[in-house]
Structures are given as C-alpha cells and as structure tokens.
C-alpha cells in the first residue's frame, strides 16, 4: 500500500542522493571543530542567510532554545506570539532551562506581531520588571496558516527592537518556503535579524538537523549552550552531508510543493462539508474545517482516511492541517481529495 502522508513535512525521507552522500561523508570530531562536512554545511548555511557564522544543531527546537539562551540571561524577558512554535510546542524550554520569562502577545492573522503592541510590551527600566531582551518572530508561521513575513516587516521590527537595545531572533524553520512564496532570497528575509534558525528536516528532506546562524561572537556563545544542552556531536558530518545535498537540490523545487498545496485546496474546496480557511494555502500548508453540520469529528475522519492510505493531522474538533512535500506527488494529491470525498459522503448517509 502506497501511503500519502500529509501530516507534516517532518515526515520526509532522505533522497537516494542524500543517502549516498551520508555513506561517503568525510568526518572528524565536531566538538574539536574538525569535522570538514559539518564545517562546510555551517559555512553554506551562513552564506545563504547572509550571516557570519552557523551552528549545526539536532533540531529547530534546539536551535531556538540555544539562540534564546545565548541572547538572554536568567530573569530576562522575551516577547513572542501566543501562537508561535516556541511558545506552543517547545516544551517551555526557555523557562525550564534558561529561566527566561516569555511575554506573549497576539499573533495577527498574517503571523506578524503588531509593532505598536510590541512597543507597549517593552518594559521600562524599573526594579519591579524583568528586562526586555529579545523579540522572537516566526517565518513561515505554522499556526497562522503557513503565511510568510515580508522583509519589509522584519526590517521594521528590527528597527523597533534595536532602538530599545534589544535583539531580534527569527524562527525560520521554513524560511525557504517563505522565500519561495515571495520570490526573494532567504538572506533578504534574514538580513535585519540578529539570529535565525532553519530546519533541514522539513521541506528540504534531510533526515536530521537545523542550522542556527548569526555573528561569530553569537555563534561562539550558542556553541557553548549547545554543549550544555547535550548537543555536542562527534562525527556528525554523516548527518551534515545530507543537509548539504538538501540545500543544493531541494530549495529550488519548493514551488512544486506550493503548487500541489493549491491543487489540494482547490480539490477539497469542492467537497460538500469542507470549509477552507480564507487565503489558504500561502505556502505548503492547507488549513480547513468541517462544516458544523457534519456529524463527525476531525479525528473520526482522520481514522477513516487511513482506510484509503491517507494520513492527515486533525488539529481541532473539526479542523485539519495538511502539508505537502517532496514525497507527495500529483497522484497523491488526487488520492487524498478522493479519500476525503468518500469519507464525508459516507458520513452523510
């Protein structure tokens, strides 16, 4: 049975070229800085982000955590969205491990944080308050529909926070999707931030890893934090080799995933009982809900779709997120549409 897995782009498998590169990778001890493949990946990543230096980490969560702990001391405050990945899905690491206080403000529908609200959230110099140290943005924004932030918006936010001697970190887990959607370079989207992390293991198909980028001084500090977190790896060039292939072969094809997401959304929108989110998809994520008149839940639909070899994510009582990626082709899109149609038709009998 050929499964169509739309739960996330984290389910992607490495390509044959990646597997070959991993088997043939030249390696050394990365804690000593002697793994040539790690060094090559970090240099390539930094160049693509327009930054001085890079640091290979095991995951986007580790990258964000290392960045925040490198920027902030215990008791400092970060400002971030209430729908951000760092707040929702990173196990409270900034507080549990760093003693950093998160101040949540509402994400706007486009994934941004309102500049005036950020301004109002910045603490004055008062002994009663934590020190406002960092603002965290996300691009693309997962829980806001996969929408991307523009370079102009990020520049405006950077100007605001820098006026207050604060710093700006970008969770760019899917920044290559954002750049593809906007027709710009990733460096344009990361130009004005003080640090940025991106994932190799989502739409770029590498099996493991993310890269954190910033100044040399910042990365030196983040490297120490990575070691404290247990992320000091030895012959990890085997993993980095796949990341290099992903950056060289997967970035330019992301537009195909976006097109398939549009085709998927168009097909699903024609099925009675499905209500698409306005504007979806912005990149490779399709968000929609079941009409309130449909007498079954999203989790029930999710289980029934397994009968048709289709895997999806139910993210609410009636709500779904579907994500296209390299391993979902045109036939897979049609298989998913047909499976939804059959399941919902059955529910109305």
């Amino acid at each position: 049975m050929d499964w169509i897995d739309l739960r996330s782009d984290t389910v992607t498998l490495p390509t044959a070229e990646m597997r070959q590169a991993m088997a043939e990778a030249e390696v050394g001890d990365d804690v000593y800085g002697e793994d040539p493949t790690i060094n090559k990946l970090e240099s390539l990543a930094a160049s693509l982000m327009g930054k001085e230096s890079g640091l290979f980490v095991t995951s986007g969560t580790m990258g964000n955590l290392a960045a925040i702990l490198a920027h902030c001391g215990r008791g400092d405050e970060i400002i971030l969205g209430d729908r951000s990945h760092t707040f929702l899905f990173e196990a409270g690491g900034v507080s549990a491990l760093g003693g950093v206080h998160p101040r949540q403000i509402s994400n706007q529908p486009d994934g941004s944080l309102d500049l005036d609200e950020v301004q109002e959230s910045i603490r004055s110099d008062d002994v009663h308050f934590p020190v406002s140290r960092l603002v965290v943005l996300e691009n693309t924004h997962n829980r806001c529909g996969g929408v991307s932030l523009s370079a102009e918006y990020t520049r405006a936010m950077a100007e605001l926070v820098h006026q207050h001697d604060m710093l700006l970190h970008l969770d760019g887990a899917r920044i290559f999707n954002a750049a593809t959607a906007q027709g710009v370079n990733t460096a344009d989207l990361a130009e004005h931030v003080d640090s940025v992390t991106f994932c190799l293991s989502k739409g770029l198909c590498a099996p493991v890893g993310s890269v954190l980028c910033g100044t040399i001084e910042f990365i030196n500090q983040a490297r120490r934090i990575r070691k404290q977190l247990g992320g000091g790896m030895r012959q990890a060039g085997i993993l980095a080799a796949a990341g290099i292939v992903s950056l060289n072969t997967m970035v330019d094809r992301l537009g195909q995933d976006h097109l398939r997401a549009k085709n998927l959304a168009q097909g699903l929108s024609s099925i009675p009982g499905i209500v698409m989110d306005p504007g979806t998809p912005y990149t490779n994520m399709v968000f929609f809900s079941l009409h309130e008149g449909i007498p079954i839940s999203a989790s029930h639909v999710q289980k029934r779709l397994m009968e048709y070899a289709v895997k999806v994510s139910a993210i609410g009582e009636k709500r779904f997120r579907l994500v296209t990626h390299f391993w979902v082709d045109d036939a897979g899109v049609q298989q998913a549409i047909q499976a939804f149609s059959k399941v919902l038709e059955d529910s109305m009998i």
Side-chain angles (χ1 to χ4, degrees):
M1 181 182 293
D2 293 328
W3 287 90
I4 306 303
D5 197 338
L6 293 160
R7 290 174 297 173
S8 177
D9 46 10
T10 61
V11 304
T12 51
L13 302 175
T15 63
E17 185 178 356
M18 291 178 193
R19 292 176 185 271
Q20 181 178 354
M22 294 170 72
E24 299 174 354
E26 183 181 3
V27 298
D29 192 317
D30 181 47
V31 175
Y32 291 137
E34 296 176 355
D35 190 303
T37 310
I38 289 279
N39 295 340
K40 181 179 178 180
L41 171 64
E42 291 175 342
S43 178
L44 174 60
S47 176
L48 290 171
M49 295 297 123
K51 302 301 179 188
E52 292 179 348
S53 188
L55 179 68
F56 182 59
V57 293
T58 60
S59 67
T61 293
M62 178 180 280
N64 288 333
L65 180 58
I68 292 169
L69 299 190
H71 285 312
C72 301
R74 299 188 70 84
D76 286 346
E77 186 171 71
I78 60 173
I79 299 170
L80 75 174
D82 61 350
R83 303 180 72 185
S84 67
H85 192 277
T86 297
F87 175 61
L88 291 175
F89 302 120
E90 296 180 7
V94 297
S95 299
L97 303 178
V100 176
H101 186 258
R103 182 165 186 173
Q104 306 96 47
I105 62 177
S106 297
N107 280 109
Q108 302 302 302
D110 65 357
S112 67
L113 301 178
D114 182 79
L115 292 171
D116 291 336
E117 192 169 358
V118 171
Q119 172 72 61
E120 293 172 1
S121 299
I122 296 173
R123 306 277 190 163
S124 60
D125 185 9
D126 188 304
V127 69
H128 298 88
F129 301 150
V131 175
S132 298
R133 187 71 67 191
L134 179 72
V135 171
V136 179
L137 298 177
E138 184 177 333
N139 197 13
T140 64
H141 200 289
N142 184 348
R143 277 300 184 259
C144 289
V147 69
S148 61
L149 301 178
S150 69
E152 292 74 20
Y153 168 79
T154 306
R155 182 186 302 112
M157 181 63 76
E159 291 174 352
L160 170 62
V161 301
H162 292 157
Q163 287 171 6
H164 292 272
D165 295 323
M166 296 174 62
L167 299 166
L168 182 61
H169 172 66
L170 178 62
D171 174 2
R174 296 178 175 89
I175 193 171
F176 289 97
N177 291 94
T180 297
Q182 297 182 38
V184 300
N185 294 321
T186 51
D188 297 330
L189 299 180
E191 179 179 2
H192 298 283
V193 304
D194 298 288
S195 58
V196 56
T197 187
F198 68 87
C199 290
L200 297 162
S201 56
K202 292 186 171 70
L204 301 186
C205 284
V208 177
S210 294
V211 186
L212 174 63
C213 300
T215 64
I216 293 174
E217 181 181 6
F218 165 77
I219 291 298
N220 286 340
Q221 177 62 16
R223 191 177 299 276
R224 182 182 297 271
I225 299 295
R226 185 187 70 172
K227 182 64 175 176
Q228 292 174 336
L229 296 174
M233 295 174 282
R234 301 299 178 174
Q235 289 72 32
I238 293 172
L239 301 175
I244 292 170
V245 174
S246 72
L247 290 174
N248 288 330
T249 65
M250 287 290 158
V251 173
D252 290 341
R253 60 149 309 278
L254 289 174
Q256 298 175 34
D257 297 339
H258 297 184
L259 178 59
R260 290 189 174 111
K262 290 180 180 178
N263 292 338
L264 177 61
Q266 183 176 4
L268 292 172
S269 67
S270 66
I271 299 173
I274 286 182
V275 181
M276 309 302 297
D277 279 18
T280 196
Y282 298 99
T283 48
N284 66 325
M285 297 182 183
V286 179
F287 285 81
F288 61 95
S289 301
L290 300 178
H291 189 275
E292 58 184 19
I294 297 295
I296 54 176
S297 66
S299 61
H300 178 81
V301 172
Q302 180 185 39
K303 292 176 183 177
R304 285 290 317 279
L305 289 170
M306 300 281 282
E307 300 171 15
Y308 299 95
V310 174
K311 297 180 180 181
V312 301
S313 288
I315 59 172
E317 177 64 22
K318 297 276 189 178
R319 188 162 168 76
F320 297 89
R321 183 195 73 160
L322 275 55
V323 185
T324 55
H325 50 79
F326 178 75
W327 296 102
V328 177
D329 59 14
D330 293 333
V333 168
Q334 292 305 311
Q335 182 175 332
I337 294 168
Q338 292 168 11
F340 265 98
S341 180
K342 291 176 181 177
V343 170
L344 293 184
E345 182 180 351
D346 290 346
S347 75
M348 301 304 292
I349 296 176

